[in-house]
């Protein structure tokens, strides 16, 4: 039987409609299956999905019974594991103190940590841990030579055209730690009030401190109302070609012997010392200096 063009088009459209309905049915079934799978996984998540938690050991106050109870509770909810985080801070905002447990890193604490690893292995859980109590990185074992450092300096103004023989002031020192860097001199010539704002902060001479301080004012050279900002006073213009390194003219005791050229000079003795930065939010006696980053 021969089909007219009109009949042929009608058959073709009917066939396309049947295929479309069939595909819509398949898509609908697949969507329903996917929804059921997502719903089921949400209600009862598989451990492979990576559900983890911070496992706070506040003030080190843990014991074996509590460790087993916590880990079995995680397992019952299909957690993948936990991150052990020994820390303080529990008594902030007026909260009561938590009794002090074993000190982080002590033999007793390490025994509990190994027990936690064994229990986690038994239950098929993964365990990670913060490598110290609290933050930032540091602690009671950090001696001053390994603590965070900062530049420190002292200034002495002299009149040249003669031999300068005097003991230069010691720069500021923290934690009884200090090392020399260099001693320089530059002539005091032209003055200006257009210096660099907050130069001590921009050079890292001191830390802003606090938690996530607003540092945007350091990106400009404008006076700021930021509480860390400092005003520019009368400043000397220094040509780097005029700066003289006179380190070899000073002995280990800080005694300077220098034939200074004529004119007014500023002598700067540079060194470095420890900062006052210390570990925060740590358990019990796990206090100390921040590690030199």
């Amino acid at each position: 039987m021969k089909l007219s063009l009109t009949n042929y088009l009608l058959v073709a459209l009917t066939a396309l409609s049947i295929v479309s309905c069939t595909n819509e049915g398949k898509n609908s079934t697949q969507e329903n299956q996917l929804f059921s799978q997502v719903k089921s996984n949400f209600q009862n998540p598989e451990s492979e999905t990576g559900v983890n938690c911070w496992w706070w050991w506040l003030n080190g106050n843990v014991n074996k019974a509590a460790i087993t109870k916590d880990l079995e509770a995680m397992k019952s909810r299909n957690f993948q594991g936990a991150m052990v985080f020994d820390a303080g801070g529990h008594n902030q905002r007026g909260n009561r103190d938590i009794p002090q447990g074993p000190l982080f890193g002590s033999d007793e604490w390490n025994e509990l940590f190994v027990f936690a690893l064994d229990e986690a292995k038994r239950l098929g859980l993964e365990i990670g841990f913060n490598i110290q109590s609290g933050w930032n990185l540091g602690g009671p074992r950090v001696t001053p030579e390994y603590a965070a450092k900062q530049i420190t300096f002292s200034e002495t103004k002299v009149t040249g055209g003669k031999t300068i023989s005097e003991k230069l002031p010691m720069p500021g020192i923290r934690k009884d730690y200090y090392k020399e860097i260099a001693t320089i001199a530059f002539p005091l010539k032209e003055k200006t009030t257009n210096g660099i704002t907050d130069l001590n902060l921009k050079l890292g001479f001191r830390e802003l401190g606090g938690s996530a301080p607003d540092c945007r004012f350091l990106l400009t050279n404008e006076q700021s109302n930021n509480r860390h900002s400092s005003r520019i006073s009368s400043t000397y213009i220094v040509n780097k070609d005029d700066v003289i390194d006179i380190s070899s003219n000073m002995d280990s005791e800080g005694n300077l012997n220098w034939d200074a050229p004529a004119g007014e000079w500023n002598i700067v003795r540079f060194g470095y010392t420890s900062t006052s930065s210390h570990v925060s939010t740590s358990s019990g006696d796990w206090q100390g200096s921040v590690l030199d980053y």
Side-chain angles (χ1 to χ4, degrees):
M1 181 179 74
K2 293 185 178 180
L3 296 175
S4 66
L5 180 59
T6 303
N7 288 335
Y8 180 83
L9 291 175
L10 182 61
V11 171
L13 289 172
T14 302
L16 287 173
S17 177
I18 293 172
V19 171
S20 177
C21 290
T22 303
N23 287 338
E24 286 181 3
K26 288 182 179 179
N27 290 338
S28 178
T29 301
Q30 290 174 347
E31 289 176 359
N32 288 335
Q33 289 175 344
L34 180 60
F35 175 77
S36 297
Q37 181 182 358
V38 171
K39 180 179 179 181
S40 175
N41 286 344
F42 189 81
Q43 292 173 333
N44 191 27
E46 298 176 359
S47 61
E48 288 78 11
T49 58
V51 179
N52 278 263
C53 71
W54 291 113
W55 189 14
W56 295 97
W57 290 16
L58 292 177
N59 213 13
N61 187 21
V62 293
N63 56 51
K64 291 183 177 180
I67 288 172
T68 297
K69 184 176 181 180
D70 282 353
L71 289 174
E72 288 182 345
M74 295 177 203
K75 182 65 177 180
S76 72
R77 295 296 183 267
N78 289 340
F79 276 50
Q80 184 188 36
M83 178 73 70
V84 175
F85 207 129
D86 188 287
H90 49 275
N91 52 5
Q92 295 177 355
R93 300 179 181 87
N95 293 311
R96 295 193 302 272
D97 276 325
I98 291 176
Q100 184 172 338
L103 180 64
F104 177 86
S106 66
D107 290 342
E108 188 178 0
W109 193 97
N110 289 338
E111 180 183 347
L112 291 170
F113 179 66
V114 171
F115 176 78
L117 295 180
D118 290 339
E119 285 291 88
K121 184 177 181 180
R122 174 178 68 84
L123 296 167
L125 297 169
E126 294 183 5
I127 296 295
F129 80 109
N130 189 40
I131 62 175
Q132 71 165 60
S133 180
W135 59 84
N136 290 329
L137 198 59
R141 299 169 186 167
V142 178
T143 51
E145 63 266 33
Y146 297 111
K149 306 295 192 304
Q150 70 179 73
I151 299 293
T152 184
F153 63 93
S154 66
E155 294 181 274
T156 304
K157 291 180 173 58
V158 299
T159 300
K162 59 184 179 181
T163 299
I164 306 298
S165 296
E166 61 179 274
K167 187 167 186 174
L168 300 180
M170 175 67 77
I173 299 176
R174 286 192 174 98
K175 301 176 184 176
D176 296 324
Y177 183 84
Y178 175 79
K179 295 291 183 182
E180 296 284 350
I181 295 178
T183 300
I184 64 171
F186 54 85
L188 299 177
K189 297 179 180 178
E190 184 181 358
K191 285 188 175 184
T192 180
T193 56
N194 298 319
I196 299 174
T197 58
D198 304 302
L199 182 60
N200 59 338
L201 295 174
K202 290 172 179 174
L203 291 176
F205 278 120
R206 67 179 177 88
E207 295 183 347
L208 283 174
S211 179
D214 184 353
C215 298
R216 288 174 295 179
F217 72 98
L218 295 178
L219 300 177
T220 69
N221 199 44
E222 301 173 358
Q223 300 291 357
S224 168
N225 292 325
N226 189 291
R227 65 187 181 90
H228 297 291
S229 181
S230 57
R231 298 278 175 183
I232 291 180
S233 56
S234 180
T235 306
Y236 288 97
I237 296 176
V238 180
N239 187 326
K240 65 182 180 63
D241 294 329
D242 293 335
V243 177
I244 303 173
D245 185 349
I246 58 173
S247 302
S248 60
N249 297 89
M250 188 185 76
D251 64 22
S252 60
E253 302 298 320
N255 297 306
L256 180 68
N257 192 281
W258 175 49
D259 292 330
E264 300 299 313
W265 292 83
N266 192 39
I267 299 171
V268 186
R269 180 182 179 184
F270 285 104
Y272 64 92
T273 186
S274 301
T275 73
S276 58
S277 300
H278 56 86
V279 175
S280 169
T281 324
S282 57
S283 288
D285 295 325
W286 188 266
Q287 309 294 326
S289 298
V290 167
L291 196 64
D292 190 349
Y293 35 76

